[in-house]
């Protein structure tokens, strides 16, 4: 536990759940939406099984701030990492500027190390979290789509909304089979699919949008041509409620996934950025896993790559 100016930091327990929801709801409120219903939007993070993944700060027995530290297994290049996402970093408006977040973040940093987490990630202000050991990293490719680059929307009836139960195995196989993936427990994946956001299915393919930013696609699988058709349908659907919307976007990682292949064929613009901030836990175990993930592999062929320009006939060879 951490003591600072009368504040006490501890892990949350089941009895804290309702008060925790109220604190986070108020902390993320704004003039247009005074209260944020985090349990509705993030049901997979706010249930009794996850309550101990929250750290709360008390003042005289009252919860005044909280942070979530959510452990997940993360697989990259066949190597399993113990990772954790940090989110719902909030303080009651009347307690801001009194050291609440500093007190909780110090406890969270200690837990990352003591709980054997290889690394933790979060999204947020670089200067704010940089003081506690987080630094920018990762790889995200954002590709934008408009009507000009997408195929026409498919005919009525060719696409249907994603069904959380009917399509669960399809989504599960895509999530668990991805070369770089967060292995979300099945119960939480079901909650995620039942929450906000839009999902569409066409043939054997599907597309799922971000739970908050529905104009941003975060997961897809199937045949690239069908994925492109779904993106076109998705843009047309969103435009019904926002006539000014001219484009949708997709976020992909460094691997050649079906979503990435559809994106490369049909995108109209792109940008690359480090999407998150990371903090390392125990250094030696992390480096050992990174070395295993980064070992160069040559599955076949030779160390020579021959290239030719089909238009000009120019040829070149790369030899390693």
């Amino acid at each position: 536990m951490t003591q600072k100016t009368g504040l006490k930091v501890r892990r949350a327990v089941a009895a804290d759940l309702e008060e925790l929801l109220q604190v986070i709801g108020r902390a993320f409120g704004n003039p247009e939406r005074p209260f944020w219903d985090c349990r509705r939007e993030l049901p997979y993070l706010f249930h009794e099984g996850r309550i101990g993944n929250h750290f709360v700060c008390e003042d005289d027995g009252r919860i005044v701030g909280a942070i979530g530290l959510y452990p997940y297994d993360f697989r990259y290049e066949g190597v399993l990492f113990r990772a954790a996402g940090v989110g719902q970093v909030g303080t009651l408006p009347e307690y801001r500027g009194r050291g609440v977040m500093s007190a909780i973040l110090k406890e969270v940093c200690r837990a990352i190390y003591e709980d054997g987490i290889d690394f933790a990630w979060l999204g947020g202000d670089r200067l704010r979290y940089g003081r506690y050991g987080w630094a920018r990293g990762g790889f995200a490719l954002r590709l934008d789509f408009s009507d000009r680059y997408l195929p026409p929307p498919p005919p009525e009836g060719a696409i249907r909304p994603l069904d959380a139960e009917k399509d669960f195995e399809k989504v599960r196989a895509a999530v668990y089979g991805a070369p770089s993936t967060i292995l979300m427990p099945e119960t939480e994946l079901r909650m995620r699919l039942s929450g906000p956001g839009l999902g569409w299915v066409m043939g054997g393919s599907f597309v799922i949008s971000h739970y908050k930013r529905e104009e941003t696609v975060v997961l897809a699988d199937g045949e690239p041509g069908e994925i492109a058709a779904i993106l076109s349908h998705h843009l047309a659907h969103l435009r019904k409620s926002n006539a000014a919307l001219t484009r949708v976007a997709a976020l992909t990682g460094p691997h050649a996934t079906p979503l990435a292949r559809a994106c490369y064929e049909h995108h109209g613009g792109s940008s690359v950025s480090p999407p998150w901030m990371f903090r390392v836990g125990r250094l030696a175990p992390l480096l050992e896993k990174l070395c295993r993930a980064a070992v160069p592999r040559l599955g076949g062929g030779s160390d020579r790559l021959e290239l030719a320009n089909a238009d000009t006939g120019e040829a070149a060879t790369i030899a390693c």
Side-chain angles (χ1 to χ4, degrees):
M1 296 185 181
T2 300
Q3 295 280 351
K4 182 171 183 178
T5 62
L7 302 175
K8 182 175 74 172
V9 177
R10 60 173 175 81
R11 287 186 184 266
V13 296
D16 296 319
L17 181 56
E18 293 305 320
E19 186 178 5
L20 175 66
L21 293 169
Q22 292 298 312
V23 170
I24 295 175
R26 285 189 57 205
F28 285 89
N30 56 55
E32 291 75 30
R33 184 202 60 190
F35 184 85
W36 178 49
D37 189 350
C38 52
R39 180 157 54 182
R40 185 187 74 84
E41 295 195 8
L42 301 170
Y44 50 95
L45 297 180
F46 291 95
H47 56 88
E48 288 193 2
R50 280 283 186 191
I51 190 65
N53 296 144
H54 296 87
F55 289 79
V56 298
C57 182
E58 290 182 322
D59 181 26
D60 195 23
R62 177 194 183 195
I63 297 176
V64 298
I67 296 179
L69 177 67
Y70 311 109
Y72 285 102
D73 286 335
F74 173 77
R75 191 183 66 234
Y76 181 79
E77 295 292 353
V79 179
L80 203 62
F81 294 81
R82 187 59 173 165
V86 176
Q88 289 58 257
V89 182
T91 304
L92 289 177
E94 61 269 29
Y95 273 83
R96 290 170 186 163
R98 295 171 57 175
V100 172
M101 275 302 101
S102 293
I104 310 178
L105 277 168
K106 289 178 180 178
E107 194 69 20
V108 167
C109 291
R110 183 180 296 110
I112 291 170
Y113 186 83
E114 292 179 351
D115 292 355
I117 294 171
D118 294 314
F119 62 85
W121 79 91
L122 57 76
D125 182 83
R126 180 175 61 84
L127 293 178
R128 179 185 188 187
Y129 294 105
R131 294 195 296 267
Y132 299 93
W134 268 272
R136 286 284 182 195
F139 175 99
L141 176 60
R142 175 190 168 98
L143 298 112
D144 294 303
F145 303 84
S146 63
D147 292 329
R148 180 177 181 179
Y149 298 97
L150 287 168
E156 191 74 23
I159 291 179
R160 63 172 175 82
L162 184 138
D163 185 296
E165 289 300 322
K166 180 179 179 180
D167 301 310
F168 177 76
E169 288 303 324
K170 186 193 305 285
V171 176
R172 178 190 178 280
V175 170
Y176 279 53
S180 172
T181 187
I182 297 171
L183 298 174
M184 180 178 285
E186 287 193 14
T187 54
E188 295 189 4
L189 182 58
R190 290 184 185 277
M191 293 180 188
R192 166 65 179 89
L193 295 178
S194 300
L198 289 174
W200 307 101
V201 175
M202 178 181 181
S205 306
F206 72 88
V207 163
I208 297 176
S209 71
H210 191 277
Y211 79 97
K212 279 187 177 179
R213 302 182 300 277
E214 291 183 335
E215 72 281 4
T216 302
V217 169
V218 294
L219 180 64
D221 195 33
E223 197 276 317
E226 290 181 342
I227 292 174
I230 298 174
L231 290 172
S232 183
H233 171 86
H234 188 55
L235 175 57
H237 174 83
L238 294 175
R239 194 179 286 135
K240 292 178 182 178
S241 57
N242 181 5
L245 187 66
T246 61
R247 63 186 59 235
V248 293
L251 296 179
T252 75
H255 296 92
T257 62
L259 175 59
R261 290 195 290 272
C263 290
Y264 297 153
E265 180 71 22
H266 296 281
H267 76 281
S270 64
S271 61
V272 177
S273 65
W276 301 102
M277 298 186 69
F278 292 86
R279 178 186 169 90
V280 170
R282 295 184 183 271
L283 186 59
L286 173 62
L287 291 177
E288 188 273 332
K289 293 178 182 179
L290 289 172
C291 288
R292 283 195 281 128
V295 171
R297 298 175 178 86
L298 187 64
S302 70
D303 57 0
R304 297 170 62 86
L305 177 64
E306 298 181 2
L307 303 171
N309 186 323
D311 292 331
T312 65
E314 182 184 12
T317 299
I318 299 173
C320 300

